[in-house]
Amino acid sequence: MAEFKVAEIFTSINGEGMRAGELAVFIRLQGCNLRCGYCDTMWANEAGALCTKMTTEEILQRIKAAGVRNITLTGGEPLDRPDIGELIESITSDPWLRLEIETNGSIPLKPFTGYFNPPVFTMDYKLPGSGMESAMNQENFKWLKPEDTVKFVVSDRKDLIRAKEIIEGYALAERCHVILSPVFGSIEPENIAEFMKEQKLNDIRMQIQMHKVIWDPEQRGV
């Protein structure tokens, strides 16, 4: 049975994505293959970060004990580990559970699309402000389902312009949900709203990270 380095497991309100405001069990795995300039979970990404080694069965026991349907698998980057398919399959084999996977856009999605009860992906596209756009796997766009979401975390107007290019170039609003989210403290939500009006961005949502409004932005486990 596979073993995973778990940075934290907790139950909270989902702060973003299409299930924002709903309860979810968060499973945050240690480690990430990217280094975004605005990362708010860098503490979980370093090789020596504190973590607990847990088997698939131990993680499932924690999920069942919580009594919450929504499961969010996050990181770091949860898909960047060889045995992650075992954990995904174990969670999705329970039809009562709903699995969301938050992924950074660099890891191929195709290997994770064949499950009977498929997970929902909330996939980032890293814009220039992240410093990581060159790592994006644009092949992933063709594997997105209508239930999935592409999230653009924007730092400035340059990021907004690039997001619009990608959204229109891949017809993302016709494929799946699309979210524009501000880098906390770098751009005012008003600027994003004005850009959306200016560019007539239909079927696109702006979303503010709810958990950073409810709790201290630096607080963990929320």
Side-chain angles (χ1 to χ4, degrees):
M1 182 170 288
E3 191 174 64
F4 300 92
K5 294 180 178 180
V6 179
E8 57 180 353
I9 295 182
F10 60 94
T11 299
S12 186
I13 296 296
N14 203 330
E16 54 192 324
M18 299 312 298
R19 294 174 180 160
E22 296 183 23
L23 280 179
V25 176
F26 290 83
I27 305 160
R28 186 182 306 284
L29 301 183
Q30 182 214 53
C32 188
N33 60 317
L34 301 185
R35 289 294 181 269
C36 299
Y38 52 71
C39 181
D40 57 3
T41 55
M42 191 63 74
W43 61 271
N45 295 344
E46 302 298 338
L50 291 175
C51 65
T52 302
K53 291 183 179 180
M54 300 180 68
T55 65
T56 298
E57 182 58 33
E58 288 171 334
I59 293 172
L60 285 174
Q61 288 174 0
R62 289 287 298 272
I63 289 171
K64 291 175 182 177
V68 173
R69 291 192 74 182
N70 294 329
I71 312 301
T72 300
L73 187 58
T74 187
E77 172 48 56
L79 298 182
D80 189 29
R81 52 211 79 223
D83 296 319
I84 195 63
E86 176 184 302
L87 180 58
I88 294 172
E89 187 167 5
S90 296
I91 296 172
T92 57
S93 65
D94 184 337
W96 189 74
L97 297 176
R98 297 183 293 220
L99 177 62
E100 175 186 8
I101 299 176
E102 295 184 342
T103 180
N104 65 23
S106 70
I107 306 298
L109 294 186
K110 184 180 178 181
F112 308 104
T113 58
Y115 299 98
F116 176 73
N117 177 25
V120 169
F121 293 103
T122 296
M123 187 186 80
D124 279 14
Y125 183 90
K126 303 299 184 184
L127 296 165
S130 72
M132 291 287 118
E133 187 178 14
S134 62
M136 293 298 92
N137 186 333
Q138 297 183 8
E139 180 80 3
N140 282 337
F141 290 137
K142 73 180 184 181
W143 297 104
L144 295 171
K145 311 179 297 300
E147 299 82 11
D148 296 329
T149 300
V150 176
K151 181 177 68 174
F152 296 89
V153 180
V154 298
S155 303
D156 51 28
R157 185 175 177 85
K158 180 181 178 181
D159 278 357
L160 285 167
I161 292 169
R162 180 59 176 155
K164 180 175 181 286
E165 291 174 354
I166 295 295
I167 291 166
E168 294 179 346
Y170 289 91
L172 291 183
E174 299 168 20
R175 283 182 175 272
C176 61
H177 304 292
V178 180
I179 287 173
L180 298 176
S181 181
V183 175
F184 193 80
S186 293
I187 185 172
E188 292 299 325
E190 179 183 353
N191 298 134
I192 299 176
E194 291 299 330
F195 182 85
M196 291 173 67
K197 290 193 293 183
E198 168 195 315
Q199 300 295 323
K200 299 178 175 60
L201 295 183
N202 291 298
D203 302 317
I204 310 298
R205 290 176 171 86
M206 181 181 69
Q207 189 174 75
I208 298 168
Q209 292 175 299
M210 189 182 297
H211 53 286
K212 291 187 178 179
V213 176
I214 299 173
W215 293 282
D216 186 301
E218 301 299 322
Q219 189 169 336
R220 301 179 188 177
V222 295

